[in-house]
PDB file of all heavy atoms in Angstrom:
ATOM      1  N   ARG K 266      31.375 -10.059  81.108  1.00  0.00           N
ATOM      2  CA  ARG K 266      31.318  -9.166  82.224  1.00  0.00           C
ATOM      3  C   ARG K 266      31.626  -7.749  81.939  1.00  0.00           C
ATOM      4  O   ARG K 266      30.985  -6.908  82.333  1.00  0.00           O
ATOM      5  CB  ARG K 266      32.349  -9.630  83.314  1.00  0.00           C
ATOM      6  CG  ARG K 266      32.365  -8.650  84.585  1.00  0.00           C
ATOM      7  CD  ARG K 266      33.521  -9.028  85.488  1.00  0.00           C
ATOM      8  NE  ARG K 266      33.557  -8.082  86.494  1.00  0.00           N
ATOM      9  CZ  ARG K 266      34.270  -6.889  86.481  1.00  0.00           C
ATOM     10  NH1 ARG K 266      35.066  -6.750  85.424  1.00  0.00           N
ATOM     11  NH2 ARG K 266      34.305  -6.051  87.393  1.00  0.00           N
ATOM     12  N   HIS K 267      32.554  -7.487  81.119  1.00  0.00           N
ATOM     13  CA  HIS K 267      33.043  -6.079  80.820  1.00  0.00           C
ATOM     14  C   HIS K 267      31.873  -5.398  80.046  1.00  0.00           C
ATOM     15  O   HIS K 267      31.700  -4.208  80.233  1.00  0.00           O
ATOM     16  CB  HIS K 267      34.328  -6.071  80.057  1.00  0.00           C
ATOM     17  CG  HIS K 267      34.307  -6.403  78.568  1.00  0.00           C
ATOM     18  ND1 HIS K 267      34.336  -7.699  78.123  1.00  0.00           N
ATOM     19  CD2 HIS K 267      34.162  -5.700  77.516  1.00  0.00           C
ATOM     20  CE1 HIS K 267      34.278  -7.739  76.855  1.00  0.00           C
ATOM     21  NE2 HIS K 267      34.131  -6.590  76.353  1.00  0.00           N
ATOM     22  N   MET K 268      31.079  -6.059  79.161  1.00  0.00           N
ATOM     23  CA  MET K 268      29.936  -5.431  78.622  1.00  0.00           C
ATOM     24  C   MET K 268      28.882  -5.131  79.617  1.00  0.00           C
ATOM     25  O   MET K 268      28.196  -4.082  79.476  1.00  0.00           O
ATOM     26  CB  MET K 268      29.432  -6.281  77.433  1.00  0.00           C
ATOM     27  CG  MET K 268      30.177  -6.154  76.140  1.00  0.00           C
ATOM     28  SD  MET K 268      30.391  -4.400  75.500  1.00  0.00           S
ATOM     29  CE  MET K 268      28.668  -4.024  75.238  1.00  0.00           C
ATOM     30  N   LEU K 269      28.552  -6.031  80.589  1.00  0.00           N
ATOM     31  CA  LEU K 269      27.646  -5.842  81.545  1.00  0.00           C
ATOM     32  C   LEU K 269      27.970  -4.647  82.355  1.00  0.00           C
ATOM     33  O   LEU K 269      27.118  -3.664  82.620  1.00  0.00           O
ATOM     34  CB  LEU K 269      27.465  -7.101  82.369  1.00  0.00           C
ATOM     35  CG  LEU K 269      26.293  -7.012  83.424  1.00  0.00           C
ATOM     36  CD1 LEU K 269      24.966  -6.940  82.774  1.00  0.00           C
ATOM     37  CD2 LEU K 269      26.440  -8.282  84.352  1.00  0.00           C
ATOM     38  N   VAL K 270      29.261  -4.441  82.804  1.00  0.00           N
ATOM     39  CA  VAL K 270      29.656  -3.322  83.625  1.00  0.00           C
ATOM     40  C   VAL K 270      29.548  -2.111  82.726  1.00  0.00           C
ATOM     41  O   VAL K 270      29.125  -1.015  83.235  1.00  0.00           O
ATOM     42  CB  VAL K 270      31.034  -3.525  84.029  1.00  0.00           C
ATOM     43  CG1 VAL K 270      31.544  -2.313  84.842  1.00  0.00           C
ATOM     44  CG2 VAL K 270      31.133  -4.786  84.987  1.00  0.00           C
ATOM     45  N   TYR K 271      29.881  -2.126  81.418  1.00  0.00           N
ATOM     46  CA  TYR K 271      29.763  -0.957  80.652  1.00  0.00           C
ATOM     47  C   TYR K 271      28.390  -0.421  80.604  1.00  0.00           C
ATOM     48  O   TYR K 271      28.103   0.814  80.766  1.00  0.00           O
ATOM     49  CB  TYR K 271      30.296  -1.328  79.223  1.00  0.00           C
ATOM     50  CG  TYR K 271      30.242  -0.126  78.228  1.00  0.00           C
ATOM     51  CD1 TYR K 271      31.136   0.802  77.991  1.00  0.00           C
ATOM     52  CD2 TYR K 271      28.980   0.103  77.571  1.00  0.00           C
ATOM     53  CE1 TYR K 271      30.976   1.877  77.199  1.00  0.00           C
ATOM     54  CE2 TYR K 271      28.769   1.067  76.697  1.00  0.00           C
ATOM     55  CZ  TYR K 271      29.814   2.009  76.525  1.00  0.00           C
ATOM     56  OH  TYR K 271      29.605   3.053  75.649  1.00  0.00           O
ATOM     57  N   LEU K 272      27.466  -1.335  80.382  1.00  0.00           N
ATOM     58  CA  LEU K 272      26.006  -0.979  80.238  1.00  0.00           C
ATOM     59  C   LEU K 272      25.587  -0.342  81.602  1.00  0.00           C
ATOM     60  O   LEU K 272      24.786   0.547  81.534  1.00  0.00           O
ATOM     61  CB  LEU K 272      25.209  -2.164  79.897  1.00  0.00           C
ATOM     62  CG  LEU K 272      25.398  -2.744  78.566  1.00  0.00           C
ATOM     63  CD1 LEU K 272      24.667  -4.058  78.312  1.00  0.00           C
ATOM     64  CD2 LEU K 272      24.983  -1.773  77.381  1.00  0.00           C
ATOM     65  N   VAL K 273      25.850  -0.886  82.670  1.00  0.00           N
ATOM     66  CA  VAL K 273      25.384  -0.333  83.994  1.00  0.00           C
ATOM     67  C   VAL K 273      25.945   1.040  84.135  1.00  0.00           C
ATOM     68  O   VAL K 273      25.217   2.018  84.495  1.00  0.00           O
ATOM     69  CB  VAL K 273      25.840  -1.232  85.116  1.00  0.00           C
ATOM     70  CG1 VAL K 273      25.534  -0.520  86.498  1.00  0.00           C
ATOM     71  CG2 VAL K 273      25.221  -2.598  85.102  1.00  0.00           C
ATOM     72  N   ILE K 274      27.175   1.299  83.893  1.00  0.00           N
ATOM     73  CA  ILE K 274      27.829   2.608  84.050  1.00  0.00           C
ATOM     74  C   ILE K 274      27.212   3.637  82.989  1.00  0.00           C
ATOM     75  O   ILE K 274      26.842   4.715  83.362  1.00  0.00           O
ATOM     76  CB  ILE K 274      29.350   2.584  83.855  1.00  0.00           C
ATOM     77  CG1 ILE K 274      29.932   1.693  84.974  1.00  0.00           C
ATOM     78  CG2 ILE K 274      29.949   4.035  83.841  1.00  0.00           C
ATOM     79  CD1 ILE K 274      31.410   1.497  84.850  1.00  0.00           C
ATOM     80  N   ALA K 275      27.151   3.256  81.788  1.00  0.00           N
ATOM     81  CA  ALA K 275      26.611   4.079  80.713  1.00  0.00           C
ATOM     82  C   ALA K 275      25.198   4.560  81.037  1.00  0.00           C
ATOM     83  O   ALA K 275      24.823   5.770  80.851  1.00  0.00           O
ATOM     84  CB  ALA K 275      26.736   3.379  79.399  1.00  0.00           C
ATOM     85  N   HIS K 276      24.274   3.592  81.461  1.00  0.00           N
ATOM     86  CA  HIS K 276      22.952   3.943  81.690  1.00  0.00           C
ATOM     87  C   HIS K 276      22.816   4.878  82.962  1.00  0.00           C
ATOM     88  O   HIS K 276      21.865   5.675  83.037  1.00  0.00           O
ATOM     89  CB  HIS K 276      22.085   2.675  81.980  1.00  0.00           C
ATOM     90  CG  HIS K 276      21.724   2.019  80.763  1.00  0.00           C
ATOM     91  ND1 HIS K 276      22.628   1.098  80.122  1.00  0.00           N
ATOM     92  CD2 HIS K 276      20.566   2.044  79.959  1.00  0.00           C
ATOM     93  CE1 HIS K 276      21.889   0.651  79.052  1.00  0.00           C
ATOM     94  NE2 HIS K 276      20.731   1.179  78.894  1.00  0.00           N
ATOM     95  N   ASN K 277      23.688   4.875  83.838  1.00  0.00           N
ATOM     96  CA  ASN K 277      23.547   5.558  85.114  1.00  0.00           C
ATOM     97  C   ASN K 277      24.360   6.896  85.168  1.00  0.00           C
ATOM     98  O   ASN K 277      24.217   7.675  86.000  1.00  0.00           O
ATOM     99  CB  ASN K 277      23.908   4.667  86.283  1.00  0.00           C
ATOM    100  CG  ASN K 277      22.871   3.735  86.674  1.00  0.00           C
ATOM    101  OD1 ASN K 277      22.062   3.949  87.479  1.00  0.00           O
ATOM    102  ND2 ASN K 277      22.914   2.502  86.089  1.00  0.00           N
ATOM    103  N   THR K 278      25.224   7.078  84.078  1.00  0.00           N
ATOM    104  CA  THR K 278      26.001   8.331  84.050  1.00  0.00           C
ATOM    105  C   THR K 278      25.653   9.142  82.732  1.00  0.00           C
ATOM    106  O   THR K 278      26.023  10.328  82.691  1.00  0.00           O
ATOM    107  CB  THR K 278      27.444   8.044  84.080  1.00  0.00           C
ATOM    108  OG1 THR K 278      27.812   7.287  82.980  1.00  0.00           O
ATOM    109  CG2 THR K 278      27.783   7.353  85.436  1.00  0.00           C
ATOM    110  N   LEU K 279      25.180   8.528  81.677  1.00  0.00           N
ATOM    111  CA  LEU K 279      24.915   9.213  80.317  1.00  0.00           C
ATOM    112  C   LEU K 279      26.183   9.562  79.790  1.00  0.00           C
ATOM    113  O   LEU K 279      26.281  10.407  78.910  1.00  0.00           O
ATOM    114  CB  LEU K 279      23.984  10.346  80.535  1.00  0.00           C
ATOM    115  CG  LEU K 279      22.521  10.177  80.631  1.00  0.00           C
ATOM    116  CD1 LEU K 279      22.118   9.527  81.972  1.00  0.00           C
ATOM    117  CD2 LEU K 279      21.698  11.346  80.381  1.00  0.00           C
ATOM    118  N   ALA K 280      27.383   8.978  80.243  1.00  0.00           N
ATOM    119  CA  ALA K 280      28.697   9.339  79.862  1.00  0.00           C
ATOM    120  C   ALA K 280      28.873   8.872  78.352  1.00  0.00           C
ATOM    121  O   ALA K 280      28.395   7.911  77.920  1.00  0.00           O
ATOM    122  CB  ALA K 280      29.719   8.771  80.705  1.00  0.00           C
ATOM    123  N   ARG K 281      29.851   9.602  77.702  1.00  0.00           N
ATOM    124  CA  ARG K 281      30.263   9.274  76.355  1.00  0.00           C
ATOM    125  C   ARG K 281      31.037   7.862  76.548  1.00  0.00           C
ATOM    126  O   ARG K 281      31.620   7.594  77.510  1.00  0.00           O
ATOM    127  CB  ARG K 281      31.098  10.272  75.695  1.00  0.00           C
ATOM    128  CG  ARG K 281      30.391  11.634  75.467  1.00  0.00           C
ATOM    129  CD  ARG K 281      31.287  12.645  74.956  1.00  0.00           C
ATOM    130  NE  ARG K 281      30.719  13.877  74.707  1.00  0.00           N
ATOM    131  CZ  ARG K 281      30.549  14.905  75.585  1.00  0.00           C
ATOM    132  NH1 ARG K 281      31.175  14.712  76.812  1.00  0.00           N
ATOM    133  NH2 ARG K 281      29.960  16.090  75.363  1.00  0.00           N
ATOM    134  N   PRO K 282      31.031   6.994  75.431  1.00  0.00           N
ATOM    135  CA  PRO K 282      31.786   5.771  75.532  1.00  0.00           C
ATOM    136  C   PRO K 282      33.143   5.876  75.993  1.00  0.00           C
ATOM    137  O   PRO K 282      33.628   5.027  76.788  1.00  0.00           O
ATOM    138  CB  PRO K 282      31.677   5.218  74.058  1.00  0.00           C
ATOM    139  CG  PRO K 282      30.441   5.901  73.459  1.00  0.00           C
ATOM    140  CD  PRO K 282      30.309   7.211  74.093  1.00  0.00           C
ATOM    141  N   ALA K 283      33.862   6.883  75.469  1.00  0.00           N
ATOM    142  CA  ALA K 283      35.356   6.986  75.924  1.00  0.00           C
ATOM    143  C   ALA K 283      35.448   7.218  77.359  1.00  0.00           C
ATOM    144  O   ALA K 283      36.408   6.676  78.034  1.00  0.00           O
ATOM    145  CB  ALA K 283      35.958   8.085  75.145  1.00  0.00           C
ATOM    146  N   ALA K 284      34.564   8.042  77.990  1.00  0.00           N
ATOM    147  CA  ALA K 284      34.530   8.286  79.371  1.00  0.00           C
ATOM    148  C   ALA K 284      34.231   7.108  80.236  1.00  0.00           C
ATOM    149  O   ALA K 284      34.867   6.880  81.316  1.00  0.00           O
ATOM    150  CB  ALA K 284      33.628   9.409  79.769  1.00  0.00           C
ATOM    151  N   VAL K 285      33.367   6.286  79.714  1.00  0.00           N
ATOM    152  CA  VAL K 285      33.001   4.981  80.509  1.00  0.00           C
ATOM    153  C   VAL K 285      34.247   4.064  80.484  1.00  0.00           C
ATOM    154  O   VAL K 285      34.651   3.398  81.433  1.00  0.00           O
ATOM    155  CB  VAL K 285      31.893   4.252  79.830  1.00  0.00           C
ATOM    156  CG1 VAL K 285      31.612   2.945  80.588  1.00  0.00           C
ATOM    157  CG2 VAL K 285      30.649   5.160  80.040  1.00  0.00           C
ATOM    158  N   LEU K 286      34.933   3.966  79.293  1.00  0.00           N
ATOM    159  CA  LEU K 286      36.058   3.101  79.184  1.00  0.00           C
ATOM    160  C   LEU K 286      37.307   3.536  80.064  1.00  0.00           C
ATOM    161  O   LEU K 286      38.131   2.776  80.417  1.00  0.00           O
ATOM    162  CB  LEU K 286      36.455   2.838  77.739  1.00  0.00           C
ATOM    163  CG  LEU K 286      35.504   2.220  76.767  1.00  0.00           C
ATOM    164  CD1 LEU K 286      35.983   2.160  75.296  1.00  0.00           C
ATOM    165  CD2 LEU K 286      35.150   0.920  77.309  1.00  0.00           C
ATOM    166  N   ASP K 287      37.357   4.871  80.179  1.00  0.00           N
ATOM    167  CA  ASP K 287      38.514   5.434  80.908  1.00  0.00           C
ATOM    168  C   ASP K 287      38.264   5.382  82.519  1.00  0.00           C
ATOM    169  O   ASP K 287      39.282   5.502  83.235  1.00  0.00           O
ATOM    170  CB  ASP K 287      38.722   6.878  80.587  1.00  0.00           C
ATOM    171  CG  ASP K 287      39.440   7.108  79.310  1.00  0.00           C
ATOM    172  OD1 ASP K 287      39.985   6.083  78.820  1.00  0.00           O
ATOM    173  OD2 ASP K 287      39.353   8.204  78.810  1.00  0.00           O
ATOM    174  N   LEU K 288      37.096   5.047  83.024  1.00  0.00           N
ATOM    175  CA  LEU K 288      36.736   5.138  84.368  1.00  0.00           C
ATOM    176  C   LEU K 288      37.539   4.132  85.179  1.00  0.00           C
ATOM    177  O   LEU K 288      37.646   2.986  84.866  1.00  0.00           O
ATOM    178  CB  LEU K 288      35.238   4.951  84.579  1.00  0.00           C
ATOM    179  CG  LEU K 288      34.532   5.434  85.772  1.00  0.00           C
ATOM    180  CD1 LEU K 288      34.760   6.951  85.931  1.00  0.00           C
ATOM    181  CD2 LEU K 288      33.167   5.036  85.865  1.00  0.00           C
ATOM    182  N   ARG K 289      38.102   4.605  86.299  1.00  0.00           N
ATOM    183  CA  ARG K 289      38.755   3.767  87.177  1.00  0.00           C
ATOM    184  C   ARG K 289      38.467   4.039  88.671  1.00  0.00           C
ATOM    185  O   ARG K 289      37.709   5.095  88.967  1.00  0.00           O
ATOM    186  CB  ARG K 289      40.358   3.946  86.941  1.00  0.00           C
ATOM    187  CG  ARG K 289      40.887   5.281  87.232  1.00  0.00           C
ATOM    188  CD  ARG K 289      42.171   5.513  86.501  1.00  0.00           C
ATOM    189  NE  ARG K 289      41.962   5.770  85.048  1.00  0.00           N
ATOM    190  CZ  ARG K 289      42.881   5.907  84.162  1.00  0.00           C
ATOM    191  NH1 ARG K 289      44.018   5.771  84.536  1.00  0.00           N
ATOM    192  NH2 ARG K 289      42.615   6.088  82.858  1.00  0.00           N
ATOM    193  N   GLY K 290      38.860   3.261  89.536  1.00  0.00           N
ATOM    194  CA  GLY K 290      38.536   3.300  90.974  1.00  0.00           C
ATOM    195  C   GLY K 290      38.866   4.674  91.601  1.00  0.00           C
ATOM    196  O   GLY K 290      38.130   5.151  92.490  1.00  0.00           O
ATOM    197  N   ALA K 291      39.878   5.293  91.275  1.00  0.00           N
ATOM    198  CA  ALA K 291      40.363   6.543  91.814  1.00  0.00           C
ATOM    199  C   ALA K 291      39.346   7.764  91.517  1.00  0.00           C
ATOM    200  O   ALA K 291      39.349   8.777  92.273  1.00  0.00           O
ATOM    201  CB  ALA K 291      41.706   7.027  91.365  1.00  0.00           C
ATOM    202  N   GLN K 292      38.511   7.493  90.486  1.00  0.00           N
ATOM    203  CA  GLN K 292      37.548   8.559  90.227  1.00  0.00           C
ATOM    204  C   GLN K 292      36.223   8.577  90.989  1.00  0.00           C
ATOM    205  O   GLN K 292      35.427   9.420  90.858  1.00  0.00           O
ATOM    206  CB  GLN K 292      37.244   8.526  88.732  1.00  0.00           C
ATOM    207  CG  GLN K 292      38.412   8.760  87.826  1.00  0.00           C
ATOM    208  CD  GLN K 292      38.141   8.542  86.326  1.00  0.00           C
ATOM    209  OE1 GLN K 292      38.728   7.623  85.710  1.00  0.00           O
ATOM    210  NE2 GLN K 292      37.221   9.207  85.785  1.00  0.00           N
ATOM    211  N   TYR K 293      36.073   7.521  91.856  1.00  0.00           N
ATOM    212  CA  TYR K 293      34.928   7.417  92.670  1.00  0.00           C
ATOM    213  C   TYR K 293      35.117   7.766  94.109  1.00  0.00           C
ATOM    214  O   TYR K 293      35.998   7.315  94.758  1.00  0.00           O
ATOM    215  CB  TYR K 293      34.347   5.941  92.547  1.00  0.00           C
ATOM    216  CG  TYR K 293      33.179   5.646  93.450  1.00  0.00           C
ATOM    217  CD1 TYR K 293      32.002   6.498  93.382  1.00  0.00           C
ATOM    218  CD2 TYR K 293      33.225   4.658  94.452  1.00  0.00           C
ATOM    219  CE1 TYR K 293      30.908   6.343  94.248  1.00  0.00           C
ATOM    220  CE2 TYR K 293      32.162   4.403  95.194  1.00  0.00           C
ATOM    221  CZ  TYR K 293      31.047   5.338  95.175  1.00  0.00           C
ATOM    222  OH  TYR K 293      29.971   5.118  96.049  1.00  0.00           O
ATOM    223  N   ASP K 294      34.390   8.768  94.619  1.00  0.00           N
ATOM    224  CA  ASP K 294      34.358   9.142  95.957  1.00  0.00           C
ATOM    225  C   ASP K 294      33.260   8.606  96.718  1.00  0.00           C
ATOM    226  O   ASP K 294      32.000   9.172  96.646  1.00  0.00           O
ATOM    227  CB  ASP K 294      34.264  10.695  95.973  1.00  0.00           C
ATOM    228  CG  ASP K 294      34.327  11.275  97.458  1.00  0.00           C
ATOM    229  OD1 ASP K 294      34.292  10.443  98.405  1.00  0.00           O
ATOM    230  OD2 ASP K 294      34.429  12.445  97.511  1.00  0.00           O
ATOM    231  N   ASP K 295      33.341   7.553  97.372  1.00  0.00           N
ATOM    232  CA  ASP K 295      32.264   6.776  98.058  1.00  0.00           C
ATOM    233  C   ASP K 295      31.700   7.614  99.180  1.00  0.00           C
ATOM    234  O   ASP K 295      30.460   7.513  99.464  1.00  0.00           O
ATOM    235  CB  ASP K 295      32.667   5.475  98.563  1.00  0.00           C
ATOM    236  CG  ASP K 295      31.537   4.540  98.973  1.00  0.00           C
ATOM    237  OD1 ASP K 295      30.534   4.419  98.202  1.00  0.00           O
ATOM    238  OD2 ASP K 295      31.681   3.991 100.067  1.00  0.00           O
ATOM    239  N   GLU K 296      32.619   8.359  99.953  1.00  0.00           N
ATOM    240  CA  GLU K 296      32.036   9.142 101.068  1.00  0.00           C
ATOM    241  C   GLU K 296      30.967  10.122 100.662  1.00  0.00           C
ATOM    242  O   GLU K 296      29.917  10.315 101.342  1.00  0.00           O
ATOM    243  CB  GLU K 296      33.225   9.820 101.757  1.00  0.00           C
ATOM    244  CG  GLU K 296      32.800  10.713 102.882  1.00  0.00           C
ATOM    245  CD  GLU K 296      33.978  11.379 103.569  1.00  0.00           C
ATOM    246  OE1 GLU K 296      35.138  11.262 103.091  1.00  0.00           O
ATOM    247  OE2 GLU K 296      33.740  12.323 104.431  1.00  0.00           O
ATOM    248  N   HIS K 297      31.184  10.933  99.565  1.00  0.00           N
ATOM    249  CA  HIS K 297      30.222  11.816  99.073  1.00  0.00           C
ATOM    250  C   HIS K 297      29.344  11.259  97.962  1.00  0.00           C
ATOM    251  O   HIS K 297      28.538  12.145  97.517  1.00  0.00           O
ATOM    252  CB  HIS K 297      31.030  13.098  98.593  1.00  0.00           C
ATOM    253  CG  HIS K 297      31.823  13.794  99.568  1.00  0.00           C
ATOM    254  ND1 HIS K 297      33.080  13.480  99.759  1.00  0.00           N
ATOM    255  CD2 HIS K 297      31.424  14.701 100.548  1.00  0.00           C
ATOM    256  CE1 HIS K 297      33.624  14.211 100.752  1.00  0.00           C
ATOM    257  NE2 HIS K 297      32.629  14.986 101.198  1.00  0.00           N
ATOM    258  N   ARG K 298      29.578  10.076  97.541  1.00  0.00           N
ATOM    259  CA  ARG K 298      28.787   9.472  96.486  1.00  0.00           C
ATOM    260  C   ARG K 298      28.819  10.332  95.247  1.00  0.00           C
ATOM    261  O   ARG K 298      27.826  10.698  94.508  1.00  0.00           O
ATOM    262  CB  ARG K 298      27.327   9.252  96.936  1.00  0.00           C
ATOM    263  CG  ARG K 298      27.279   8.254  98.163  1.00  0.00           C
ATOM    264  CD  ARG K 298      25.805   7.879  98.356  1.00  0.00           C
ATOM    265  NE  ARG K 298      25.703   6.997  99.559  1.00  0.00           N
ATOM    266  CZ  ARG K 298      24.687   6.401  99.983  1.00  0.00           C
ATOM    267  NH1 ARG K 298      23.539   6.457  99.249  1.00  0.00           N
ATOM    268  NH2 ARG K 298      24.623   5.643 101.094  1.00  0.00           N
ATOM    269  N   ARG K 299      30.064  10.700  94.802  1.00  0.00           N
ATOM    270  CA  ARG K 299      30.359  11.463  93.629  1.00  0.00           C
ATOM    271  C   ARG K 299      31.290  10.693  92.761  1.00  0.00           C
ATOM    272  O   ARG K 299      32.238  10.032  93.303  1.00  0.00           O
ATOM    273  CB  ARG K 299      30.756  12.875  93.929  1.00  0.00           C
ATOM    274  CG  ARG K 299      29.813  13.644  94.767  1.00  0.00           C
ATOM    275  CD  ARG K 299      28.544  14.049  93.872  1.00  0.00           C
ATOM    276  NE  ARG K 299      27.679  14.955  94.612  1.00  0.00           N
ATOM    277  CZ  ARG K 299      26.654  14.606  95.395  1.00  0.00           C
ATOM    278  NH1 ARG K 299      26.409  13.280  95.477  1.00  0.00           N
ATOM    279  NH2 ARG K 299      25.958  15.490  95.929  1.00  0.00           N
ATOM    280  N   ILE K 300      31.170  10.888  91.453  1.00  0.00           N
ATOM    281  CA  ILE K 300      32.118  10.262  90.486  1.00  0.00           C
ATOM    282  C   ILE K 300      32.541  11.349  89.582  1.00  0.00           C
ATOM    283  O   ILE K 300      31.797  12.041  88.938  1.00  0.00           O
ATOM    284  CB  ILE K 300      31.483   8.984  89.831  1.00  0.00           C
ATOM    285  CG1 ILE K 300      32.475   8.421  88.982  1.00  0.00           C
ATOM    286  CG2 ILE K 300      30.275   9.440  88.909  1.00  0.00           C
ATOM    287  CD1 ILE K 300      32.080   6.951  88.365  1.00  0.00           C
ATOM    288  N   ASP K 301      33.851  11.504  89.414  1.00  0.00           N
ATOM    289  CA  ASP K 301      34.407  12.416  88.482  1.00  0.00           C
ATOM    290  C   ASP K 301      34.814  11.704  87.223  1.00  0.00           C
ATOM    291  O   ASP K 301      35.727  10.914  87.189  1.00  0.00           O
ATOM    292  CB  ASP K 301      35.734  12.959  89.181  1.00  0.00           C
ATOM    293  CG  ASP K 301      36.299  14.103  88.289  1.00  0.00           C
ATOM    294  OD1 ASP K 301      35.815  14.401  87.244  1.00  0.00           O
ATOM    295  OD2 ASP K 301      37.301  14.750  88.777  1.00  0.00           O
TER     296      ASP K 301
END
């Protein structure tokens, strides 16, 4: 599961690997559909 989630995030954000691994719920703003 963790590799599947990694792949989905990486393909849709173009983020560096470290940024994908650091990503947590607090960084997502669902109201504005933005992710920091």
Side-chain angles (χ1 to χ4, degrees):
R266 174 189 176 267
H267 75 273
M268 278 304 298
L269 185 64
V270 176
Y271 177 92
L272 292 173
V273 173
I274 295 174
H276 281 84
N277 285 270
T278 63
L279 281 72
R281 299 178 180 90
V285 178
L286 297 179
D287 283 344
L288 199 61
R289 61 201 77 186
Q292 294 171 246
Y293 174 53
D294 180 353
D295 190 49
E296 179 182 355
H297 298 96
R298 300 192 183 188
R299 297 291 184 266
I300 185 167
D301 187 350

